[in-house]
Amino acid sequence: MAVSGHAQSFLTNGLVSYYPFNGNANDAFGTNNGTVQGAVLTTNRFGVTNAAYHFNGSSSYIDLGRPTNLQFYSNFTLSAWCLVSGGSAQNPRIISYCWGNGYELLTQGNGSSRAFQFISGNYSFNTTSNYSQGIWRAVATVYTNGICYFYVNGALVNSGANHAPVSFTNNLHIGNNSGTTSWDWWGGSIDDIRFYSRALSTNEVQMLYQYEAGGPQLSSAAVVLQLSTTNLVVGGSYQIQMSTNLVTWSNYGTPFIATSTNAPQYVNMKSSQGYFRILAAP
């Protein structure tokens, strides 16, 4: 098996806008800055102050205007960290771009335990499980070729057919329904929203979660090592291992299932040093 590595920033490949909410609602990667409407800065998942936004569930949101470069119709990815603590009587929105015709990321209902939901072109797709309030979670939806993939904390929790967005006639809102200002208010906190104009792979979503869950980051991009492999068996289980001396090896991350004969894997070089190899998992 051949293994080689080269530096690559998958985090910025196809990234259009990124909102780390570090003291403001500015777009840290693109030019789509937000206008805060009642939301207040709060502590993020790492305990850092003024590094996320809290929404009161009744009147606060962030308005991003109507950016044409976020009007996705085919392949795209939405990701965000969120903490639920209430919300309005309808279906509180995390991201909403043109209610009914564009795309939206939200929770279904406003109960103490609820599913996440993705709406695209007025067709909805849910997670199969409900999630309790009061816990920070990473949520990501990937839409590609008529299929929606739903991830929570980096794990694929559901996938299936869905429709593409059809039009964008309202502003893009974070924290409430973009088609109205009378319901669907988010109650809780939101952080680290990313908009990609491409469909991230399952491996990339897992890597994004590992990167963002590891601790406060100083930049919007990370250098990662891409392990390029050959002769993998599709459907086979493999394990990345790391060594500092080429003698003693330890497992890096969890085993993965090969989806192709050369399925690439990624190593976060901000927190890992040494040599890497990929072996068939027992």
Side-chain angles (χ1 to χ4, degrees):
M1 179 185 300
V3 178
S4 62
H6 63 272
Q8 171 180 307
S9 181
F10 82 95
L11 285 176
T12 59
N13 180 12
L15 182 64
V16 181
S17 289
Y18 169 49
Y19 299 90
F21 293 154
N22 290 331
N24 56 52
N26 290 344
D27 184 350
F29 189 82
T31 59
N32 300 313
N33 293 338
T35 300
V36 179
Q37 303 287 354
V40 295
L41 288 165
T42 188
T43 301
N44 70 3
R45 60 193 178 279
F46 304 115
V48 180
T49 58
N50 298 325
Y53 271 101
H54 179 78
F55 301 80
N56 63 15
S58 61
S59 62
S60 57
Y61 66 102
I62 296 174
D63 190 340
L64 299 183
R66 203 171 299 173
T68 57
N69 60 351
L70 295 180
Q71 294 178 2
F72 304 135
Y73 291 95
S74 54
N75 300 321
F76 60 95
T77 301
L78 311 176
S79 70
W81 282 80
C82 60
L83 182 149
V84 180
S85 58
S88 61
Q90 301 294 323
N91 301 308
R93 263 61 172 176
I94 304 169
I95 299 168
S96 177
Y97 200 173
C98 191
W99 169 68
N101 292 305
Y103 56 76
E104 299 181 284
L105 181 60
L106 57 145
T107 60
Q108 186 179 40
N110 67 339
S112 60
S113 179
R114 61 186 85 164
F116 289 101
Q117 186 175 69
F118 172 70
I119 298 177
S120 177
N122 208 25
Y123 291 85
S124 62
F125 190 80
N126 294 5
T127 59
T128 54
S129 299
N130 289 351
Y131 299 88
S132 59
Q133 297 190 52
I135 298 174
W136 279 102
R137 291 185 176 89
V139 182
T141 55
V142 176
Y143 179 84
T144 178
N145 299 321
I147 303 296
C148 175
Y149 299 87
F150 229 128
Y151 299 84
V152 177
N153 288 349
L156 179 64
V157 296
N158 201 12
S159 63
N162 204 29
H163 290 246
V166 295
S167 65
F168 297 88
T169 55
N170 302 111
N171 286 8
L172 196 166
H173 285 182
I174 296 170
N176 90 311
N177 191 321
S178 70
T180 178
T181 56
S182 60
W183 65 74
D184 298 334
W185 302 97
W186 180 263
S189 301
I190 300 175
D191 196 14
D192 284 319
I193 293 180
R194 296 177 187 264
F195 295 84
Y196 287 89
S197 61
R198 69 181 182 93
L200 268 64
S201 68
T202 295
N203 289 335
E204 289 174 322
V205 174
Q206 293 171 346
M207 191 66 191
L208 174 61
Y209 169 69
Q210 292 170 3
Y211 171 73
E212 291 190 327
Q217 305 297 331
L218 299 179
S219 67
S220 61
V223 174
V224 301
L225 185 72
Q226 182 189 51
L227 303 180
S228 298
T229 61
T230 60
N231 301 324
L232 298 182
V233 176
V234 176
S237 180
Y238 294 88
Q239 173 69 59
I240 299 176
Q241 292 189 327
M242 179 178 66
S243 173
T244 58
N245 57 15
L246 293 176
V247 176
T248 303
W249 294 85
S250 59
N251 290 344
Y252 180 94
T254 58
F256 66 93
I257 304 299
T259 57
S260 67
T261 58
N262 62 342
Q265 298 298 307
Y266 301 92
V267 173
N268 186 346
M269 298 308 293
K270 291 176 70 68
S271 59
S272 304
Q273 296 181 358
Y275 305 92
F276 299 88
R277 68 183 183 183
I278 296 179
L279 299 177

